[in-house]
Amino acid sequence: MLNEFGLIQQYFNRPAPEGYLGVGDDCALFTPTPGWQLASSVDLLIEGQHFFPDVDPFLLGHKALAVNLSDLGAMGARPKACLLALSLPEIRPLWLEAFSNGLFQLADQAHCPLIGGDTTRSKQGVVISITVLGEVSAGQALQRSAAKPGDDIWLTGTLGAADIALRLLQGRLAADSERLAASRGALEQPWPPYRLGHALAGLAHAAIDVSDGLVQDLGHIAKASQCAAHLEWDALPVDSSLDGLPADLQREAVLVGGDVFQLCFTGAPQQRESIMALAQREGVLLSRIGSMQTGSGVYVRDQQGLHPAPAQGGFDHFGG
Amino acid sequence: MLNEFGLIQQYFNRPAPEGYLGVGDDCALFTPTPGWQLASSVDLLIEGQHFFPDVDPFLLGHKALAVNLSDLGAMGARPKACLLALSLPEIRPLWLEAFSNGLFQLADQAHCPLIGGDTTRSKQGVVISITVLGEVSAGQALQRSAAKPGDDIWLTGTLGAADIALRLLQGRLAADSERLAASRGALEQPWPPYRLGHALAGLAHAAIDVSDGLVQDLGHIAKASQCAAHLEWDALPVDSSLDGLPADLQREAVLVGGDVFQLCFTGAPQQRESIMALAQREGVLLSRIGSMQTGSGVYVRDQQGLHPAPAQGGFDHFGG
């Protein structure tokens, strides 16, 4: 049986790119880019809480890094490196190979090398914590507090699919294999637009990644920026996997559903063309979904008028 | 009941120092020091595996950061910031207050502000993952591969106490309240000499922090440096809490016992005076415990001569 060090060697100790000291010493090392700020974020994923025990480990490796790249993108930062803390009940070679392949495939694509980590044993389930490090030119970070009244609100990708897939997999929605096939990719293999996020640094105003639900996350921008956010229901990009579902359920999945990992950001109307051109260049679907206004809170405008958005909901691990 | 965001606010969102953007956005931000390299490390602590469920939460908060500062020191890096990923079965205000106080007290002392994190719920026990970021002047990091034949081997602090405390608490050693009182501080509240580690950057050669046991960790230096390490048994600083224990047990606790979080490093004999002066300045107990030689492996010299050190042992979470 492999010991801890053999495990690290075999699955995670790939050569670090030039300029990095990677796995194998007390710390990893790299030289930051002069004049740039260092951005850092950490996420914790727990079996049974954030993923199903039988999820495809390749997709899990991808998602564990993707949710962190999503945070970098929402800050306008480009990826620089990542670290992995991993706890397993036992060593399962096939699982580890698939998990590491999923992680490395995205790490390679994002130029975000794995430079350090810690592996350990837990009697309970799998625990994954990834820390990402990124860089953004000084003063250009996309902070939540930077939205201004009059700003457009933009959203990448579509909404609702991850929530519907979760409901189907949990049996909270009647089995529908076709709908599950259409929606589960959004849940299990999200592709956050981290390259667009970095391209928007210095151009957009505020940004956040939609992890806990659009209304909740946009509410963080509104609160930090001391503005109100007005969403236009008809402009929201409802994922096609929601077609045919009851209107109430669609509305809940779109406004409150979590695990989206798309980018919500604000920008001056004068920048519309530049912003759309960037999204085009990066091949990212982009919708203009509302505007920031004076006041506070999040509102939705539909055929019946302007209403406060559902106040509860979102993916709050402890309460809500 | 507090929700996740209230939890973060109440216990962990202390104001970040000037020059940092801390908790509350998608990423934390700070400006690295020009001409320095960024050092990073992550550790994962799991209830029942790395700490007892009933451990004093103040000490646990201290230790969770201390083990990471130990890694920075072993790289010669000075602390810059830390991130915390924390999973709890439920919100326990008294526990959280004590845990965060223990963490912040050491973070303040080490000038290592908590700038980001993630909190979540796990049905099982407590999971703590801390990432530390530090800085070391370019080219001065203390790498494991930098030891040279003829180097002195140095060790801070004493050996064996944490291992004896663990045996007492696990009932593997007959109850002895006096011995437990003398030894458990080493296990539950380690004080790694991270300041000395940074001061040694550019002066010492190789370094490692003793977390898995002296022989195992020194073996990493020997292997990476393609040298042998010869330890002098009589020079090893046996903790006074081991007084009166059988010689075999003392030997095992000293050579193989983990959770030490002291610094083992090598340096040229010409630097002896400078190294001792630095330790004096930092108030750190320092022992010269052997020398690096040509060859490979770790050996111990005692009254019977030179023997290979115990090959097995050390704290290996999966095997060993």
Side-chain angles (χ1 to χ4, degrees):
Chain A
M1 189 166 181
L2 281 171
N3 67 11
E4 183 183 5
F5 302 104
L7 169 75
I8 295 169
Q9 285 290 336
Q10 184 164 343
Y11 297 105
F12 296 109
N13 189 6
R14 303 196 185 174
E18 202 179 323
Y20 290 83
L21 177 71
V23 173
D25 216 306
D26 295 289
C27 293
L29 293 176
F30 65 82
T31 303
T33 306
W36 290 54
Q37 288 183 293
L38 193 97
S40 54
S41 181
V42 64
D43 264 300
L44 190 60
L45 300 179
I46 309 238
E47 181 179 318
Q49 188 71 16
H50 301 97
F51 57 91
F52 295 105
D54 61 350
V55 70
D56 179 335
F58 180 91
L59 300 182
L60 183 62
H62 169 97
K63 183 169 178 176
L65 180 56
V67 302
N68 282 284
L69 293 177
S70 186
D71 283 316
L72 285 182
M75 211 67 196
R78 68 180 177 201
K80 185 79 179 178
C82 63
L83 300 102
L84 168 69
L86 177 65
S87 177
L88 303 171
E90 75 275 320
I91 294 186
R92 289 175 279 168
L94 289 177
W95 192 96
L96 273 163
E97 190 176 345
F99 176 84
S100 61
N101 283 340
L103 194 158
F104 276 113
Q105 182 179 285
L106 182 58
D108 288 346
Q109 185 174 326
H111 303 292
C112 188
L114 180 69
I115 58 170
D118 189 22
T119 56
T120 187
R121 178 181 220 157
S122 67
K123 279 162 198 152
Q124 295 95 4
V126 175
V127 176
I128 305 161
S129 179
I130 289 188
T131 304
V132 281
L133 304 175
E135 294 185 316
V136 57
S137 193
Q140 297 210 332
L142 303 172
Q143 296 189 31
R144 294 181 183 179
S145 58
K148 294 181 175 63
D151 274 4
D152 296 324
I153 303 173
W154 300 88
L155 182 80
T156 65
T158 64
L159 292 166
D163 186 65
I164 293 303
L166 187 61
R167 289 168 192 256
L168 288 165
L169 289 168
Q170 289 179 329
R172 290 188 291 135
L173 203 58
D176 180 339
S177 60
E178 205 173 319
R179 200 182 296 282
L180 181 60
S183 62
R184 76 185 296 171
L187 179 69
E188 295 184 340
Q189 196 177 25
W191 290 94
Y194 55 89
R195 284 167 51 102
L196 177 64
H198 178 55
L200 289 167
L203 178 64
H205 289 165
I208 196 168
D209 76 314
V210 182
S211 53
D212 296 326
L214 176 63
V215 168
Q216 183 163 320
D217 287 318
L218 185 54
H220 292 311
I221 286 184
K223 189 173 179 191
S225 299
Q226 299 181 284
C227 297
H230 289 196
L231 293 169
E232 304 293 331
W233 173 258
D234 290 338
L236 292 177
V238 182
D239 192 82
S240 60
S241 66
L242 276 63
D243 288 353
L245 288 172
D248 279 3
L249 177 57
Q250 288 200 30
R251 191 178 172 93
E252 195 178 321
V254 162
L255 294 176
V256 176
D259 257 325
V260 177
F261 302 110
Q262 294 291 339
L263 192 60
C264 179
F265 61 97
T266 82
Q270 297 86 326
Q271 302 296 350
R272 273 181 204 169
E273 280 188 34
S274 309
I275 287 169
M276 287 191 290
L278 281 180
Q280 194 69 30
R281 190 188 78 186
E282 298 293 343
V284 171
L285 179 69
L286 187 64
S287 307
R288 186 156 54 80
I289 61 171
S291 62
M292 302 302 292
Q293 302 288 341
T294 56
S296 66
V298 180
Y299 296 81
V300 182
R301 191 190 321 276
D302 58 19
Q303 288 167 338
Q304 278 76 49
L306 190 71
H307 322 275
Q312 286 301 313
F315 191 59
D316 182 347
H317 303 291
F318 280 107
Chain B
M1 187 166 180
L2 282 171
N3 67 14
E4 181 183 6
F5 302 104
L7 168 75
I8 295 169
Q9 286 290 335
Q10 183 165 342
Y11 295 105
F12 295 109
N13 189 7
R14 303 197 184 172
E18 202 180 322
Y20 291 83
L21 176 71
V23 173
D25 216 307
D26 295 289
C27 294
L29 292 176
F30 65 82
T31 302
T33 306
W36 290 54
Q37 288 184 292
L38 192 98
S40 54
S41 181
V42 64
D43 264 300
L44 190 60
L45 300 179
I46 310 238
E47 181 179 318
Q49 187 73 16
H50 301 96
F51 57 91
F52 295 105
D54 61 351
V55 70
D56 179 334
F58 180 90
L59 299 181
L60 183 62
H62 170 96
K63 182 169 178 176
L65 180 57
V67 301
N68 282 283
L69 294 177
S70 186
D71 283 316
L72 285 182
M75 210 68 196
R78 68 179 178 202
K80 185 76 181 182
C82 63
L83 300 103
L84 167 69
L86 178 65
S87 178
L88 303 170
E90 75 276 319
I91 295 187
R92 288 174 279 168
L94 288 178
W95 191 96
L96 273 163
E97 190 176 344
F99 176 84
S100 61
N101 283 341
L103 194 157
F104 276 112
Q105 182 179 286
L106 182 58
D108 289 346
Q109 186 175 324
H111 304 292
C112 188
L114 180 69
I115 58 170
D118 189 20
T119 56
T120 187
R121 177 181 222 157
S122 67
K123 280 161 198 153
Q124 296 95 2
V126 175
V127 176
I128 304 161
S129 179
I130 289 188
T131 303
V132 280
L133 305 174
E135 294 185 316
V136 58
S137 193
Q140 297 207 334
L142 303 173
Q143 296 191 30
R144 294 182 184 178
S145 57
K148 294 180 175 61
D151 273 4
D152 295 325
I153 304 174
W154 299 89
L155 182 80
T156 65
T158 64
L159 292 167
D163 186 64
I164 292 303
L166 186 62
R167 288 170 192 256
L168 287 165
L169 289 168
Q170 288 179 331
R172 290 188 291 134
L173 203 58
D176 180 339
S177 60
E178 204 172 319
R179 198 182 296 283
L180 181 60
S183 62
R184 77 185 294 172
L187 179 68
E188 294 184 341
Q189 195 176 24
W191 289 94
Y194 54 89
R195 284 167 51 104
L196 177 62
H198 178 54
L200 289 167
L203 177 63
H205 290 165
I208 195 166
D209 75 316
V210 181
S211 53
D212 295 326
L214 177 63
V215 169
Q216 182 163 320
D217 287 318
L218 184 54
H220 292 312
I221 286 184
K223 190 174 179 191
S225 299
Q226 299 181 284
C227 297
H230 289 195
L231 293 170
E232 305 293 331
W233 173 258
D234 289 339
L236 292 176
V238 181
D239 193 82
S240 60
S241 66
L242 275 64
D243 288 353
L245 287 172
D248 279 2
L249 177 55
Q250 288 201 31
R251 191 178 173 91
E252 194 178 322
V254 163
L255 293 176
V256 175
D259 257 325
V260 177
F261 302 110
Q262 293 291 340
L263 191 61
C264 178
F265 62 96
T266 82
Q270 297 86 328
Q271 303 295 349
R272 272 181 203 169
E273 281 187 34
S274 309
I275 286 169
M276 288 189 290
L278 280 180
Q280 195 68 30
R281 191 189 78 187
E282 298 293 343
V284 171
L285 179 69
L286 186 64
S287 308
R288 185 156 54 82
I289 61 171
S291 61
M292 301 303 293
Q293 302 288 341
T294 56
S296 65
V298 180
Y299 296 81
V300 183
R301 190 189 323 273
D302 58 19
Q303 290 166 337
Q304 277 74 49
L306 189 71
H307 321 275
Q312 284 302 311
F315 192 58
D316 181 347
H317 302 293
F318 279 106

